[in-house]
Amino acid sequence: MSHASLSPAIDHHAPTTQPVPVAAPPAELTLEERLTLVEAEMTARLDEAAVAYEVNTAHIPTEPVDLADVVSLPLTPTLQPPPASYTTPVAALLQRAHHRLLTGGWCSGALVDEDGARCMLGAIRAEARGDSGLEADAASVLLDAIRRKFGDDVDSVPSFNDAHGSSRVPMRMLDQAASLADARGL
């Protein structure tokens, strides 16, 4: 008796599951009945494939993607027209500053960088056009909006701006500050 004859023959290339044979529908079924049977079979196959996909990908860690993070370049004015202006001066200034960052770019660590991008305060200053009182009021409302969202630990608008690696949060805060200023009638 040879050693090979003691172990059963194993076909390593055979599938581990055998397809379930589907009986052909009888010829006397109508087209609608046959379509209904095929639809039920396809639904069962799709459900099985969905479960297999979930099982096969359950170990892959994923994080949800915020679409605001996908767009990282400033939009040109032709692609992003300015929104309708607020009627109150501080709100309108904050909205213009938001639009300036949106179209001209955002930076951290400087009021204006070498490419012309601005930080939050740099955009406010540019849009205030020399009106230091209006600039101070806008910066004050912006700091208030930031502290409402992030707590009283935020020291200043520049420190908040520089603490971020992208424009997403600073831009959102400028927009919220404009809304807050408008609600206050400023």
Side-chain angles (χ1 to χ4, degrees):
M1 186 177 240
S2 75
H3 180 44
S5 65
L6 292 177
S7 61
I10 298 175
D11 182 6
H12 291 286
H13 300 291
T16 57
T17 59
Q18 299 296 325
V20 177
V22 177
E28 62 271 359
L29 293 178
T30 67
L31 176 62
E32 291 296 321
E33 293 168 331
R34 286 185 289 176
L35 288 174
T36 302
L37 286 174
V38 169
E39 180 183 11
E41 180 184 351
M42 291 306 298
T43 301
R45 286 183 182 182
L46 289 172
D47 289 344
E48 182 179 331
V51 168
Y53 174 79
E54 291 296 323
V55 168
N56 290 336
T57 60
H59 69 283
I60 301 172
T62 59
E63 292 183 26
V65 174
D66 186 356
L67 293 180
D69 291 336
V70 176
V71 178
S72 60
L73 299 174
L75 299 174
T76 62
T78 57
L79 295 177
Q80 185 67 36
S85 294
Y86 286 107
T87 56
T88 58
V90 174
L93 169 61
L94 288 164
Q95 185 178 39
R96 288 192 313 270
H98 176 268
H99 186 70
R100 179 175 284 263
L101 293 185
L102 184 66
T103 58
W106 170 86
C107 72
S108 66
L111 287 174
V112 182
D113 72 4
E114 62 276 356
D115 296 326
R118 296 178 180 272
C119 72
M120 298 167 81
L121 191 57
I124 290 172
R125 186 164 291 164
E127 292 300 325
R129 299 179 183 106
D131 187 339
S132 59
L134 187 60
E135 178 185 333
D137 290 344
S140 176
V141 171
L142 178 56
L143 184 58
D144 188 32
I146 291 168
R147 286 180 174 162
R148 284 176 170 219
K149 178 88 172 169
F150 295 96
D152 290 331
D153 295 337
V154 178
D155 295 331
S156 66
V157 171
S159 68
F160 177 80
N161 182 84
D162 295 348
H164 290 86
S166 76
S167 65
R168 186 174 55 90
V169 174
M171 295 276 292
R172 189 174 344 151
M173 292 314 303
L174 269 172
D175 191 46
Q176 289 178 11
S179 180
L180 179 62
D182 187 57
R184 291 179 177 175
L186 299 174

